[in-house]
Amino acid sequence: MTAEILDGKMTSQKLLEKLQQEVSTLTKKPVLAIMLVGENPASLIYVNAKLKKAESIGFKAILKQLTSNVTEKEIIANIKEWNNDPNINGILVQLPLPKHINKNIILNSIDPIKDVDGLTAYNSGLFYTGQEPYAIPCTTRGIIMLLKEYNIEIEGKHVVVIGRSNLVGKPTAQAFLFENATVTTCHSKTENLESIIKTADIVVSAVGEKIVNGKILKKNSVVIDVGIFRTPEGKISGDVEFESASQVASYISPVPGGVGPMTVTALMYNLLDLYLAQNIR
Ligand code: NAP
């Protein structure tokens, strides 16, 4: 048996065309403001992809680049300016930040109604207490959108999320709980990880290491590979051994072309949601 590919690239194109149509009916262009601190080459690639995608949808996107020796105070002053600027609808601070900067302080200085990554304590608090946040983290939203586009049933299923970061693992587990799945969250201290994965109807791997293969998957499970890392040979890889996993799973998301494009798509949907929230307030 060979699994059906969960094609994030194709699904994104379809969802973005729909979004573009909606955006074309707006009287004003929603504006995304991105802050990039330091010279991380991978971050620069991600930021450029987000800027380009936003413009192609009909949004306006602006970038503020700050040098890595900038102070927290300077970053916050800039964010406050954006918070108070009625022309800016979404604020994104590209992670990771330099070590001397407290990420939480920076993220929490974003006005929650402009928090396009859904990472402020305010929006997280609403999300984890079952209330409606202005936005949820983009990778999480992208994963749920991908499964729904393929009509994959979530309710009542056992979902195993590997990884518990605030960026991916935790919000993804919460989103599946919201969809009435039974959720197990695993991490680096989990005992018997392989036997837990074996019981999963849906596996979401967000680790950054080759950790999942066909031998440890349940037959016909759905596999979502969030991981992206470079192998020692310099190749881009996901967490899942694709060849063996696709012989056992019913659906599998590839890397690249799976969760990556869905994350950017969810960011675009988050921006529209924020714009709409701000324009009925
Ligand atoms: P992170 O903050 O480093 O978190 C990694 C998680 O994996 C941690 O919770 C860690 O457990 C767990 N872990 C590490 N080794 C493990 C092991 N051997 N067994 C089980 N769990 C283990 O990373 P992240 O930001 O969540 O990102 C995870 C991966 O997704 C990375 O490869 C990243 O590049 C990728 N990513 C992709 C997208 C996309 O759009 N496709 C978006 C974001 C991230 P502890 O908590 O115990 O340390």
Side-chain angles (χ1 to χ4, degrees):
M1 194 198 83
T2 308
E4 186 174 338
I5 305 289
L6 294 168
D7 188 337
K9 213 170 151 192
M10 186 262 293
T11 307
S12 287
Q13 260 168 14
K14 183 176 149 197
L15 290 171
L16 289 174
E17 273 166 28
K18 222 163 95 185
L19 185 71
Q20 199 172 12
Q21 276 175 13
E22 215 176 320
V23 172
S24 70
T25 65
L26 302 174
T27 47
K28 242 173 55 187
K29 274 189 177 191
V31 179
L32 173 65
I34 300 184
M35 182 181 290
L36 176 61
V37 184
E39 292 82 34
N40 182 330
S43 292
L44 190 61
I45 292 172
Y46 290 139
V47 162
N48 282 330
K50 291 170 190 176
L51 293 168
K52 216 171 121 188
K53 191 59 77 186
E55 294 279 357
S56 77
I57 301 302
F59 296 137
K60 185 167 181 248
I62 59 170
L63 172 66
K64 175 97 184 176
Q65 270 185 282
L66 298 170
T67 54
S68 55
N69 60 0
V70 69
T71 63
E72 273 175 17
K73 227 171 137 182
E74 287 168 301
I75 298 177
I76 291 170
N78 204 118
I79 290 174
K80 288 208 167 136
E81 230 174 81
W82 283 350
N83 284 342
N84 295 327
D85 183 344
N87 292 315
I88 286 175
N89 305 103
I91 301 173
L92 184 157
V93 176
Q94 183 65 36
L95 300 175
L97 288 167
K99 284 207 166 58
H100 69 283
I101 305 287
N102 183 322
K103 176 181 76 181
N104 291 329
I105 292 179
I106 300 301
L107 292 176
N108 287 327
S109 70
I110 299 172
D111 183 339
I113 204 166
K114 297 190 177 186
D115 170 23
V116 74
D117 261 342
L119 291 172
T120 58
Y122 182 90
N123 281 322
S124 308
L126 291 175
F127 185 37
Y128 293 114
T129 51
Q131 301 172 74
E132 224 172 282
Y134 288 113
I136 68 167
C138 302
T139 301
T140 296
R141 184 170 185 183
I143 291 169
I144 300 291
M145 285 170 122
L146 184 61
L147 291 174
K148 290 197 168 170
E149 281 299 312
Y150 280 84
N151 295 315
I152 292 171
E153 217 183 308
I154 301 175
E155 185 164 312
K157 300 296 175 199
H158 182 208
V159 179
V160 171
V161 179
I162 319 167
R164 57 171 164 180
S165 68
N166 288 337
L167 188 63
V168 188
K170 239 181 268 169
T172 301
Q174 179 64 21
F176 278 108
L177 211 49
F178 181 79
E179 297 288 337
N180 294 320
T182 301
V183 182
T184 304
T185 305
C186 301
H187 47 78
S188 67
K189 306 289 185 290
T190 297
E191 291 181 1
N192 305 317
L193 177 67
E194 295 190 354
S195 57
I196 296 171
I197 294 172
K198 195 85 187 173
T199 66
D201 301 306
I202 301 175
V203 178
V204 180
S205 188
V207 173
E209 272 176 44
K210 226 5 137 231
I211 203 156
V212 178
N213 60 60
K215 273 194 222 135
I216 60 172
L217 289 169
K218 180 165 134 180
K219 201 165 181 318
N220 290 328
S221 52
V222 175
V223 180
I224 304 289
D225 192 350
V226 182
I228 316 176
F229 60 95
R230 274 194 194 278
T231 63
E233 299 76 44
K235 266 185 71 184
I236 294 278
S237 172
D239 290 357
V240 180
E241 195 182 284
F242 188 85
E243 286 306 318
S244 66
S246 58
Q247 295 307 309
V248 182
S250 55
Y251 291 90
I252 186 166
S253 75
V255 176
V259 174
M262 292 304 296
T263 297
V264 181
T265 298
L267 172 69
M268 302 301 137
Y269 272 81
N270 276 358
L271 183 66
L272 179 65
D273 287 350
L274 296 185
Y275 172 90
L276 295 174
Q278 288 158 37
N279 285 284
I280 54 161
R281 191 161 61 165

